[in-house]
Amino acid sequence: MRRNVIRGLARAVILAAAVTALPNPASSQAIANCAARSEVIEFLLRQYQEKPAGIGLINPHAVMEIYAADSGTWTLIVTDVTGRSCVILAGKSWEALPPQPIPKA
């Protein structure tokens, strides 16, 4: 009995490791949201009239950019060092804020 429980637990651990380690069909959906940076930017401009609104360095290998339109739509993309950009988030009701003074501590 104890041996069967241990075998069952070992199989469950191996199955869990295999499921998380191997690609699954859901990951293929992310590929559809990625393309060369120039293609993504061209698409955002053509489809939504979105232009650069902000940029930030995530780490030495990735840059985050926000594109926004006067209509209020916005898109956040991440670009890696190979020039591949992926759409991470998109939304509506974007408002650009004027620069704010740094609060005193």
Side-chain angles (χ1 to χ4, degrees), residues 3-93:
R3 178 181 264 172
N4 288 340
V5 171
I6 293 172
R7 282 186 189 164
L9 182 58
R11 287 181 184 151
V13 169
I14 291 169
L15 178 62
V19 168
T20 57
L22 298 175
N24 55 32
S27 66
S28 64
Q29 293 173 353
I31 294 171
N33 295 331
C34 300
R37 183 176 179 274
S38 59
E39 293 175 23
V40 173
I41 292 170
E42 181 183 322
F43 174 80
L44 294 175
L45 182 60
R46 184 179 66 248
Q47 289 293 120
Y48 303 103
Q49 294 75 47
E50 293 180 357
K51 298 176 184 170
I55 189 168
L57 185 65
I58 295 173
N59 60 40
H61 306 286
V63 172
M64 172 196 78
E65 297 175 88
I66 298 177
Y67 286 78
D70 292 338
S71 65
T73 65
W74 58 268
T75 305
L76 184 141
I77 67 170
V78 172
T79 305
D80 65 17
V81 293
T82 67
R84 181 175 172 238
S85 293
C86 297
V87 174
I88 305 300
L89 295 170
K92 298 179 181 178
S93 301

Side-chain angles (χ1 to χ4, degrees), residues 89-101:
L89 295 170
K92 298 179 181 178
S93 301
W94 176 264
E95 285 188 43
L97 299 175
Q100 302 293 313

